[in-house]
Amino acid sequence: MEKAIIGKKVGMTQLFDEAGHVIPVTVIEAGPCVVVQKKTEEKDGYTAVQLGFQDVKEKNLSKPELGHLKKAGVDPKKVLREFKLDNADALNEGDQITAETFAVGDHVDVTGTSKGKGYAGVIKRYGARRTPMTHGGGPVHRHAGSMGPATDPSRIFKGKIGAGHMGAEQVTVMNLDVVQVDPELNVIAVRGAIPGPKGSIVTVRTSVKKTFEKKGAAGISNNPQKASARVNPQKASARNK
């Protein structure tokens, strides 16, 4: 069953598993969200649900936004997001979705807006190299340099790196596993980092990637050729261990 929720990035911390290993996690205030609208195949041509997150005063919404929310009979919400879910038919307008929707071990995709870095040059933006600092390089050590061909094709190819606005883009981090769920605080902790600054809005949904359990002991390959190297001292791969 597919799951989805809107949340707010709280920050990063670390947890410890039963073996005492450190797990870096990002804490997300997930929900509570309410179903604002339900899209159907007959009316809209596809099946989806629109969720609302974070209460807001009526004066901070436009009249169309306020009318849209009142039609569903829900309190004014600041953030609206739409999700195509395979179980959208089971949800109805006004239903509450909380952090309890997710469980420890679930794999999720987290989407957010990356931190904005402002106007940046090619060195910061793309990791380009600067020119040599000696022999009269002049004040152009961090410039992009030559941009491309001359007479043919007489233009710069699309996609050429250059200075410009850096960050503030939609980024999705895929296949993160849920480490902890706190229903009382409406908080979930996912392994690793997610995009955006503290307090930014993120969406969490079931991962589109399929996860498979690893067979065999950790760090040991199932390839018979590699396995033979562990017992055959004549193989170079065995001698280098």
mmCIF file with all atom_site columns, all heavy atoms in Angstrom, residues 7 17 24-25 32 49 53 62 67 73 105 118 124 140 144 146 163 238:
data_model
loop_
_atom_site.group_PDB
_atom_site.id
_atom_site.type_symbol
_atom_site.label_atom_id
_atom_site.label_alt_id
_atom_site.label_comp_id
_atom_site.label_asym_id
_atom_site.label_entity_id
_atom_site.label_seq_id
_atom_site.pdbx_PDB_ins_code
_atom_site.Cartn_x
_atom_site.Cartn_y
_atom_site.Cartn_z
_atom_site.occupancy
_atom_site.B_iso_or_equiv
_atom_site.pdbx_formal_charge
_atom_site.auth_seq_id
_atom_site.auth_comp_id
_atom_site.auth_asym_id
_atom_site.auth_atom_id
_atom_site.pdbx_PDB_model_num
ATOM 1   N N   . GLY A 1 7   ? 5.275   17.140  5.513   1.00 0.00 ? 7   GLY A N   1
ATOM 2   C CA  . GLY A 1 7   ? 5.928   17.376  6.790   1.00 0.00 ? 7   GLY A CA  1
ATOM 3   C C   . GLY A 1 7   ? 6.833   18.585  6.759   1.00 0.00 ? 7   GLY A C   1
ATOM 4   O O   . GLY A 1 7   ? 6.940   19.295  5.752   1.00 0.00 ? 7   GLY A O   1
ATOM 5   N N   . ASP A 1 17  ? 21.521  1.943   17.326  1.00 0.00 ? 17  ASP A N   1
ATOM 6   C CA  . ASP A 1 17  ? 20.788  0.694   17.201  1.00 0.00 ? 17  ASP A CA  1
ATOM 7   C C   . ASP A 1 17  ? 21.142  -0.242  18.360  1.00 0.00 ? 17  ASP A C   1
ATOM 8   O O   . ASP A 1 17  ? 21.894  0.130   19.276  1.00 0.00 ? 17  ASP A O   1
ATOM 9   C CB  . ASP A 1 17  ? 21.065  0.036   15.846  1.00 0.00 ? 17  ASP A CB  1
ATOM 10  C CG  . ASP A 1 17  ? 22.532  -0.312  15.653  1.00 0.00 ? 17  ASP A CG  1
ATOM 11  O OD1 . ASP A 1 17  ? 23.310  -0.227  16.624  1.00 0.00 ? 17  ASP A OD1 1
ATOM 12  O OD2 . ASP A 1 17  ? 22.911  -0.674  14.516  1.00 0.00 ? 17  ASP A OD2 1
ATOM 13  N N   . PRO A 1 24  ? 22.887  8.189   11.566  1.00 0.00 ? 24  PRO A N   1
ATOM 14  C CA  . PRO A 1 24  ? 22.521  9.594   11.333  1.00 0.00 ? 24  PRO A CA  1
ATOM 15  C C   . PRO A 1 24  ? 21.105  9.679   10.765  1.00 0.00 ? 24  PRO A C   1
ATOM 16  O O   . PRO A 1 24  ? 20.777  8.992   9.793   1.00 0.00 ? 24  PRO A O   1
ATOM 17  C CB  . PRO A 1 24  ? 23.562  10.058  10.315  1.00 0.00 ? 24  PRO A CB  1
ATOM 18  C CG  . PRO A 1 24  ? 23.980  8.806   9.604   1.00 0.00 ? 24  PRO A CG  1
ATOM 19  C CD  . PRO A 1 24  ? 23.860  7.690   10.584  1.00 0.00 ? 24  PRO A CD  1
ATOM 20  N N   . VAL A 1 25  ? 20.270  10.497  11.369  1.00 0.00 ? 25  VAL A N   1
ATOM 21  C CA  . VAL A 1 25  ? 18.871  10.582  10.951  1.00 0.00 ? 25  VAL A CA  1
ATOM 22  C C   . VAL A 1 25  ? 18.448  12.038  10.813  1.00 0.00 ? 25  VAL A C   1
ATOM 23  O O   . VAL A 1 25  ? 19.041  12.936  11.413  1.00 0.00 ? 25  VAL A O   1
ATOM 24  C CB  . VAL A 1 25  ? 17.929  9.866   11.945  1.00 0.00 ? 25  VAL A CB  1
ATOM 25  C CG1 . VAL A 1 25  ? 18.239  8.387   12.023  1.00 0.00 ? 25  VAL A CG1 1
ATOM 26  C CG2 . VAL A 1 25  ? 18.004  10.510  13.326  1.00 0.00 ? 25  VAL A CG2 1
ATOM 27  N N   . PRO A 1 32  ? -0.073  16.448  11.445  1.00 0.00 ? 32  PRO A N   1
ATOM 28  C CA  . PRO A 1 32  ? -1.183  15.743  10.795  1.00 0.00 ? 32  PRO A CA  1
ATOM 29  C C   . PRO A 1 32  ? -1.669  16.459  9.534   1.00 0.00 ? 32  PRO A C   1
ATOM 30  O O   . PRO A 1 32  ? -1.700  17.679  9.487   1.00 0.00 ? 32  PRO A O   1
ATOM 31  C CB  . PRO A 1 32  ? -2.266  15.731  11.877  1.00 0.00 ? 32  PRO A CB  1
ATOM 32  C CG  . PRO A 1 32  ? -1.941  16.907  12.734  1.00 0.00 ? 32  PRO A CG  1
ATOM 33  C CD  . PRO A 1 32  ? -0.460  17.058  12.714  1.00 0.00 ? 32  PRO A CD  1
ATOM 34  N N   . VAL A 1 49  ? -5.220  12.171  -4.472  1.00 0.00 ? 49  VAL A N   1
ATOM 35  C CA  . VAL A 1 49  ? -5.757  12.900  -3.329  1.00 0.00 ? 49  VAL A CA  1
ATOM 36  C C   . VAL A 1 49  ? -4.902  14.133  -3.091  1.00 0.00 ? 49  VAL A C   1
ATOM 37  O O   . VAL A 1 49  ? -3.696  14.128  -3.335  1.00 0.00 ? 49  VAL A O   1
ATOM 38  C CB  . VAL A 1 49  ? -5.805  12.041  -2.051  1.00 0.00 ? 49  VAL A CB  1
ATOM 39  C CG1 . VAL A 1 49  ? -6.846  10.951  -2.164  1.00 0.00 ? 49  VAL A CG1 1
ATOM 40  C CG2 . VAL A 1 49  ? -4.445  11.453  -1.727  1.00 0.00 ? 49  VAL A CG2 1
ATOM 41  N N   . PHE A 1 53  ? -1.713  20.772  4.935   1.00 0.00 ? 53  PHE A N   1
ATOM 42  C CA  . PHE A 1 53  ? -0.828  20.724  6.105   1.00 0.00 ? 53  PHE A CA  1
ATOM 43  C C   . PHE A 1 53  ? -0.635  22.123  6.661   1.00 0.00 ? 53  PHE A C   1
ATOM 44  O O   . PHE A 1 53  ? -0.557  23.092  5.904   1.00 0.00 ? 53  PHE A O   1
ATOM 45  C CB  . PHE A 1 53  ? 0.520   20.119  5.686   1.00 0.00 ? 53  PHE A CB  1
ATOM 46  C CG  . PHE A 1 53  ? 1.565   20.118  6.772   1.00 0.00 ? 53  PHE A CG  1
ATOM 47  C CD1 . PHE A 1 53  ? 1.381   19.397  7.935   1.00 0.00 ? 53  PHE A CD1 1
ATOM 48  C CD2 . PHE A 1 53  ? 2.740   20.846  6.627   1.00 0.00 ? 53  PHE A CD2 1
ATOM 49  C CE1 . PHE A 1 53  ? 2.344   19.390  8.936   1.00 0.00 ? 53  PHE A CE1 1
ATOM 50  C CE2 . PHE A 1 53  ? 3.706   20.845  7.605   1.00 0.00 ? 53  PHE A CE2 1
ATOM 51  C CZ  . PHE A 1 53  ? 3.508   20.118  8.778   1.00 0.00 ? 53  PHE A CZ  1
ATOM 52  N N   . SER A 1 62  ? -6.197  33.582  -0.093  1.00 0.00 ? 62  SER A N   1
ATOM 53  C CA  . SER A 1 62  ? -7.033  34.274  -1.069  1.00 0.00 ? 62  SER A CA  1
ATOM 54  C C   . SER A 1 62  ? -8.443  33.678  -1.045  1.00 0.00 ? 62  SER A C   1
ATOM 55  O O   . SER A 1 62  ? -8.673  32.585  -0.513  1.00 0.00 ? 62  SER A O   1
ATOM 56  C CB  . SER A 1 62  ? -6.420  34.143  -2.466  1.00 0.00 ? 62  SER A CB  1
ATOM 57  O OG  . SER A 1 62  ? -6.432  32.784  -2.879  1.00 0.00 ? 62  SER A OG  1
ATOM 58  N N   . GLY A 1 67  ? -12.285 29.290  -0.516  1.00 0.00 ? 67  GLY A N   1
ATOM 59  C CA  . GLY A 1 67  ? -13.467 28.595  -1.007  1.00 0.00 ? 67  GLY A CA  1
ATOM 60  C C   . GLY A 1 67  ? -13.193 27.131  -1.303  1.00 0.00 ? 67  GLY A C   1
ATOM 61  O O   . GLY A 1 67  ? -14.047 26.270  -1.069  1.00 0.00 ? 67  GLY A O   1
ATOM 62  N N   . GLY A 1 73  ? -14.886 21.273  3.651   1.00 0.00 ? 73  GLY A N   1
ATOM 63  C CA  . GLY A 1 73  ? -15.266 21.276  5.051   1.00 0.00 ? 73  GLY A CA  1
ATOM 64  C C   . GLY A 1 73  ? -14.098 21.118  6.003   1.00 0.00 ? 73  GLY A C   1
ATOM 65  O O   . GLY A 1 73  ? -14.252 20.534  7.087   1.00 0.00 ? 73  GLY A O   1
ATOM 66  N N   . GLY A 1 105 ? 11.102  0.671   9.284   1.00 0.00 ? 105 GLY A N   1
ATOM 67  C CA  . GLY A 1 105 ? 11.493  -0.251  8.220   1.00 0.00 ? 105 GLY A CA  1
ATOM 68  C C   . GLY A 1 105 ? 10.941  0.118   6.862   1.00 0.00 ? 105 GLY A C   1
ATOM 69  O O   . GLY A 1 105 ? 11.388  -0.426  5.844   1.00 0.00 ? 105 GLY A O   1
ATOM 70  N N   . GLY A 1 118 ? 22.298  31.519  -3.868  1.00 0.00 ? 118 GLY A N   1
ATOM 71  C CA  . GLY A 1 118 ? 22.441  32.794  -4.551  1.00 0.00 ? 118 GLY A CA  1
ATOM 72  C C   . GLY A 1 118 ? 23.154  32.657  -5.891  1.00 0.00 ? 118 GLY A C   1
ATOM 73  O O   . GLY A 1 118 ? 23.242  31.575  -6.470  1.00 0.00 ? 118 GLY A O   1
ATOM 74  N N   . LYS A 1 124 ? 32.279  27.339  -7.663  1.00 0.00 ? 124 LYS A N   1
ATOM 75  C CA  . LYS A 1 124 ? 31.395  26.915  -6.581  1.00 0.00 ? 124 LYS A CA  1
ATOM 76  C C   . LYS A 1 124 ? 30.228  26.086  -7.105  1.00 0.00 ? 124 LYS A C   1
ATOM 77  O O   . LYS A 1 124 ? 29.813  25.114  -6.476  1.00 0.00 ? 124 LYS A O   1
ATOM 78  C CB  . LYS A 1 124 ? 30.876  28.142  -5.828  1.00 0.00 ? 124 LYS A CB  1
ATOM 79  C CG  . LYS A 1 124 ? 29.950  27.803  -4.667  1.00 0.00 ? 124 LYS A CG  1
ATOM 80  C CD  . LYS A 1 124 ? 29.538  29.042  -3.908  1.00 0.00 ? 124 LYS A CD  1
ATOM 81  C CE  . LYS A 1 124 ? 28.603  28.690  -2.756  1.00 0.00 ? 124 LYS A CE  1
ATOM 82  N NZ  . LYS A 1 124 ? 28.193  29.878  -1.990  1.00 0.00 ? 124 LYS A NZ  1
ATOM 83  N N   . VAL A 1 140 ? 41.365  37.114  -13.551 1.00 0.00 ? 140 VAL A N   1
ATOM 84  C CA  . VAL A 1 140 ? 40.352  36.232  -14.146 1.00 0.00 ? 140 VAL A CA  1
ATOM 85  C C   . VAL A 1 140 ? 40.553  34.787  -13.702 1.00 0.00 ? 140 VAL A C   1
ATOM 86  O O   . VAL A 1 140 ? 40.173  33.858  -14.407 1.00 0.00 ? 140 VAL A O   1
ATOM 87  C CB  . VAL A 1 140 ? 40.387  36.314  -15.698 1.00 0.00 ? 140 VAL A CB  1
ATOM 88  C CG1 . VAL A 1 140 ? 39.942  37.687  -16.162 1.00 0.00 ? 140 VAL A CG1 1
ATOM 89  C CG2 . VAL A 1 140 ? 41.775  35.988  -16.227 1.00 0.00 ? 140 VAL A CG2 1
ATOM 90  N N   . ALA A 1 144 ? 35.091  31.665  -16.111 1.00 0.00 ? 144 ALA A N   1
ATOM 91  C CA  . ALA A 1 144 ? 34.790  30.416  -16.820 1.00 0.00 ? 144 ALA A CA  1
ATOM 92  C C   . ALA A 1 144 ? 35.740  30.161  -17.974 1.00 0.00 ? 144 ALA A C   1
ATOM 93  O O   . ALA A 1 144 ? 35.950  29.023  -18.373 1.00 0.00 ? 144 ALA A O   1
ATOM 94  C CB  . ALA A 1 144 ? 33.359  30.459  -17.340 1.00 0.00 ? 144 ALA A CB  1
ATOM 95  N N   . SER A 1 146 ? 37.192  30.212  -21.960 1.00 0.00 ? 146 SER A N   1
ATOM 96  C CA  . SER A 1 146 ? 36.641  30.036  -23.298 1.00 0.00 ? 146 SER A CA  1
ATOM 97  C C   . SER A 1 146 ? 35.362  29.218  -23.241 1.00 0.00 ? 146 SER A C   1
ATOM 98  O O   . SER A 1 146 ? 35.277  28.226  -22.522 1.00 0.00 ? 146 SER A O   1
ATOM 99  C CB  . SER A 1 146 ? 37.670  29.349  -24.197 1.00 0.00 ? 146 SER A CB  1
ATOM 100 O OG  . SER A 1 146 ? 37.125  29.114  -25.472 1.00 0.00 ? 146 SER A OG  1
ATOM 101 N N   . ALA A 1 163 ? 28.208  30.576  -14.739 1.00 0.00 ? 163 ALA A N   1
ATOM 102 C CA  . ALA A 1 163 ? 27.742  31.182  -13.501 1.00 0.00 ? 163 ALA A CA  1
ATOM 103 C C   . ALA A 1 163 ? 26.233  31.365  -13.539 1.00 0.00 ? 163 ALA A C   1
ATOM 104 O O   . ALA A 1 163 ? 25.636  31.502  -14.610 1.00 0.00 ? 163 ALA A O   1
ATOM 105 C CB  . ALA A 1 163 ? 28.440  32.522  -13.292 1.00 0.00 ? 163 ALA A CB  1
ATOM 106 N N   . ALA A 1 238 ? 43.280  -13.335 -3.901  1.00 0.00 ? 238 ALA A N   1
ATOM 107 C CA  . ALA A 1 238 ? 43.427  -13.933 -2.580  1.00 0.00 ? 238 ALA A CA  1
ATOM 108 C C   . ALA A 1 238 ? 44.744  -13.491 -1.934  1.00 0.00 ? 238 ALA A C   1
ATOM 109 O O   . ALA A 1 238 ? 44.829  -13.298 -0.733  1.00 0.00 ? 238 ALA A O   1
ATOM 110 C CB  . ALA A 1 238 ? 43.334  -15.441 -2.667  1.00 0.00 ? 238 ALA A CB  1
#
